[in-house]
């Protein structure tokens, strides 16, 4: 499994490794530079002219070493420095002076950056590393603006300059990289937006730090084998009664599709039985569109009302997992109907309208719960703005999980799943999934996995992974604009 690491933990670990082993730090810089040049050759072609932007610290030292290696391969190197080689210290200073001695074209920037060379094939961004915590300014800002305006391919060293390595936030103007070469482990900011978008293709390279020196905790990032390992073993003599019975409480007049998508996804996730508890107007669409699910009418009107509460409570007693919320509406009686379910200890997913009603009621959820808000719903649950959620999504997900004593899945292009001290980032999915109903599919998938006995955290992690992979498959088949949530559901492959 892939694990991220915070920039501070990376610096601490690197220093401990160097001090504890006596390993020459300049070798780490050389290994980093070699990795950068390998990626650069694919973008610029052998012998091409490349502009290297080098700061005054170790990131700039990596850039200077890469420029020297590029020249040794027969390439042309133009180097823009934020400090003169004599002002740079340690390994960075040594590599800058060595580059100067090799006859590279050096230009120390003191103000506005010049125009890029006309025949430049690519740019290497080595201005700042992952420790930057302020907006770019002065010569660095001018250089980054020139590069972004040029449209040239960019290889970022460790992280695009202007991106916070811990949070992924752009601190102002930031480099838009084609490829980012980072070292040892990805940093949090590589996988959190907008840093993930600015980083381009992420390459993680080993630079020689021995694994036994790495005890830092980070965020988990599931791969295919990791997700598959979470799934329960399906017995050869399994039947519908042993694979979990899921109760889907969803839908209202005009929103029957939400209930249908949720129920279909629960079945696709492997639930043995799915029962949809719904208002009367949802019955016909449900039984027509999802013939493998059963349906129970619990309200004669267009939405659930308080009188439905007793029927729902009775239905809940015989079910192994619940999916509550998609398309329910926010009528006066809906919360009274679903409140006993939301506060129960039956494994469940609470989504969509149920989340908004939960926020309005300022209520808590029962045990074994997965909350699946998008940033707007998360903002209402936390009592902050959506912008605040987007600026610190992991922090808010962890805080809400602690406050509610549950698992929180914060939806987004990078989905964050948090419970206790554990955080998982899901990076599957695609832009075509930005269409109505995809969240209802996710709710059904997680409920289906809960019904098979998975824990809330594992069901949320695996559900997010396979939901994203289904979206990728739908987009590959139909394109980002043509695909719908029904196509995502049809592409679910959980095995």
């Amino acid at each position: 499994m892939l694990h991220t690491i915070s920039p501070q933990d990376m610096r601490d670990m690197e220093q401990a490794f160097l001090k504890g082993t006596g390993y020459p730090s300049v070798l780490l810089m050389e290994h980093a530079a070699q990795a950068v040049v390998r990626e650069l050759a694919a973008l610029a072609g052998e012998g091409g002219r490349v502009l290297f932007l080098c700061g005054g610290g170790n990131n700039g030292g990596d850039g200077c070493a890469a420029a020297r290696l590029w020249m040794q391969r027969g390439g042309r190197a133009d180097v823009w420095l934020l400090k003169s080689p004599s002002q740079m210290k340690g390994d960075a200073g040594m590599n800058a002076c060595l580059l100067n001695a090799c006859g590279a074209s050096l230009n120390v920037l003191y103000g506005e950056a010049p125009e890029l060379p006309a025949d430049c094939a690519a740019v290497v961004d080595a201005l700042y590393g992952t420790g930057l915590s302020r907006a770019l300014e002065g010569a660095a800002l001018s250089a980054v603006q020139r590069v972004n305006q040029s449209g040239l391919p960019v290889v970022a060293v460790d992280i695009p300059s202007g991106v916070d390595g811990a949070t992924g936030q752009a601190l102002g103007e930031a480099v838009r990289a084609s490829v980012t070469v980072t070292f040892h482990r990805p940093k949090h900011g590589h996988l959190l937006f907008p840093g993930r978008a600015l980083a381009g293709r992420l390459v993680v390279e080993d630079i020689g730090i021995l694994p036994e020196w790495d005890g830092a905790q980070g965020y988990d990032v599931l791969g295919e084998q990791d997700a598959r390992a979470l799934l329960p073993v399906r017995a050869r003599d399994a039947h519908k009664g042993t694979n979990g019975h899921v109760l889907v409480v969803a839908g209202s007049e005009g929103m029957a599709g939400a209930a249908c998508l949720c129920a279909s996804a629960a079945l696709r996730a492997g639930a043995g039985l799915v029962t949809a508890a719904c208002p009367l107007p949802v019955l016909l669409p449900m039984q027509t569109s999802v013939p493998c699910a059963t349906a129970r009418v619990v309200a004669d009107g267009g939405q659930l009302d308080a009188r439905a509460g007793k029927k729902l409570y009775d239905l809940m007693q015989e079910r192994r997992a619940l999916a509550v919320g998609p398309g329910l509406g926010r009528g006066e009686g809906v919360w009274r109907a679903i409140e006993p379910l939301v506060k129960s200890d039956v494994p469940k997913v609470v989504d969509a309208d149920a989340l908004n009603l939960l926020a309005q009621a300022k209520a808590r959820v029962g045990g074994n719960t997965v909350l699946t808000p998008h940033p707007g719903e998360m903002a209402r649950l936390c009592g902050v703005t959506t912008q605040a959620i987007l600026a610190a999504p992991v922090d808010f997900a962890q805080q809400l999980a602690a406050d509610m004593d549950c698992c929180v899945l914060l939806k987004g292009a990078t989905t964050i799943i948090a419970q206790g001290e554990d955080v998982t980032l899901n990076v599957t999915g695609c832009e075509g999934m930005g269409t109505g109903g995809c969240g209802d599919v996710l709710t059904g998938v997680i409920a289906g996995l809960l019904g098979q006995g998975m824990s809330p955290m594992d069901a949320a992690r695996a559900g997010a992974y396979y939901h994203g992979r289904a979206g990728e498959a739908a987009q590959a088949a139909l394109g980002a604009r043509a695909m719908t949530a029904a196509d995502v559901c049809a592409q679910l492959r959980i095995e």
Side-chain angles (χ1 to χ4, degrees), residues 245-251 256 258-264 266-267 273-280 282-283 285-287 290 292-299 304 312 315 319 323:
H245 194 162
V246 175
L247 180 67
V248 172
V249 183
C260 295
L261 287 167
C262 186
S264 294
L267 288 164
L273 292 164
V274 172
T275 295
C278 56
L280 181 59
V282 178
L283 177 63
M286 175 63 67
Q287 296 203 305
V290 196
C292 295
T294 59
R296 297 286 295 273
V297 174
V298 294
L304 300 182
L312 290 172
L315 287 171
R319 307 299 182 263

Side-chain angles (χ1 to χ4, degrees), residues 234-240 242-243:
R234 205 164 178 103
R236 290 193 56 116
D237 61 349
H239 54 81
K240 63 185 180 182
T242 60
N243 289 328

Side-chain angles (χ1 to χ4, degrees), residues 148-162:
N148 285 342
Q149 291 165 4
S150 74
L152 289 171
V154 178
V155 178
V157 179
D158 213 5
I159 200 163
S161 294

Side-chain angles (χ1 to χ4, degrees), residues 113-457:
E115 295 285 346
L116 272 64
D119 56 347
C120 188
V123 177
V124 172
D125 164 34
L127 288 172
Y128 294 102
T130 57
L132 186 69
S133 58
R134 56 183 173 79
L136 299 177
E137 57 186 10
L141 175 60
S142 177
V144 168
Q145 290 172 334
R146 293 283 195 195
V147 169
N148 285 342
Q149 291 165 4
S150 74
L152 289 171
V154 178
V155 178
V157 179
D158 213 5
I159 200 163
S161 294
V163 174
D164 188 314
T167 68
Q169 291 298 300
L171 304 170
E173 183 88 19
V175 168
R176 295 191 291 273
S178 309
V179 180
T180 295
V181 182
T182 195
F183 313 114
H184 188 70
R185 280 163 63 177
K187 314 310 177 289
H188 304 338
H190 290 130
L191 300 180
L192 297 169
F193 277 81
R196 183 176 163 197
L198 293 167
R201 180 169 60 87
L202 182 64
V203 178
V204 183
E205 291 282 355
D206 176 23
I207 55 172
I209 298 174
L210 298 174
E212 54 264 34
W213 287 88
D214 184 357
Q217 185 174 2
Y219 306 150
D220 295 338
V221 184
L222 263 63
E224 183 176 359
Q225 291 184 344
D226 307 313
R228 186 181 295 121
L230 295 175
L231 300 175
V233 175
R234 205 164 178 103
R236 290 193 56 116
D237 61 349
H239 54 81
K240 63 185 180 182
T242 60
N243 289 328
H245 194 162
V246 175
L247 180 67
V248 172
V249 183
S252 58
E253 187 170 10
M255 294 292 290
C260 295
L261 287 167
C262 186
S264 294
L267 288 164
R268 292 276 184 184
L273 292 164
V274 172
T275 295
C278 56
L280 181 59
V282 178
L283 177 63
L284 182 59
M286 175 63 67
Q287 296 203 305
T288 302
S289 300
V290 196
C292 295
T294 59
R296 297 286 295 273
V297 174
V298 294
D300 293 332
Q303 288 188 347
L304 300 182
D305 54 36
R307 291 173 297 177
K310 177 63 166 62
K311 297 176 183 178
L312 290 172
Y313 186 82
D314 291 343
L315 287 171
M316 176 183 69
Q317 305 308 311
E318 302 172 6
R319 307 299 182 263
R320 195 181 292 178
L322 313 173
V324 185
L328 282 179
R330 305 184 202 177
E332 184 178 343
V334 176
W335 174 248
R336 293 176 63 188
I338 66 172
E339 183 178 6
L341 282 65
V342 171
K343 292 183 176 180
S344 76
D345 286 334
V346 178
K348 62 191 154 307
V349 189
V350 180
D351 184 34
D353 288 322
L355 291 173
N356 292 313
L357 292 168
L358 179 67
Q360 290 174 18
K362 295 181 170 53
R364 293 178 59 84
V365 297
N368 299 311
T369 298
V370 181
L371 303 181
T372 57
H374 59 56
E377 293 162 342
M378 188 75 169
R380 288 187 279 277
L381 287 164
C382 296
V384 298
T385 65
T386 302
Q387 191 57 44
I389 298 296
L390 294 174
V394 175
D395 292 343
F396 279 107
Q398 288 184 296
Q399 186 60 57
L400 183 61
D403 291 345
M404 291 282 193
D405 192 21
C406 69
C407 174
V408 171
L409 183 153
L410 176 55
K411 292 182 280 198
T414 293
T415 293
I416 296 157
I417 305 110
Q419 185 170 26
E421 296 297 318
D422 296 328
V423 175
T424 296
L425 305 181
N426 181 66
V427 296
T428 63
C430 55
E431 61 273 23
M433 297 177 75
T435 186
C438 280
D440 305 326
V441 175
L442 176 61
T443 297
V445 171
I446 297 172
L449 296 176
L450 287 172
Q452 294 167 73
M454 293 181 69
S455 71
M457 184 67 174

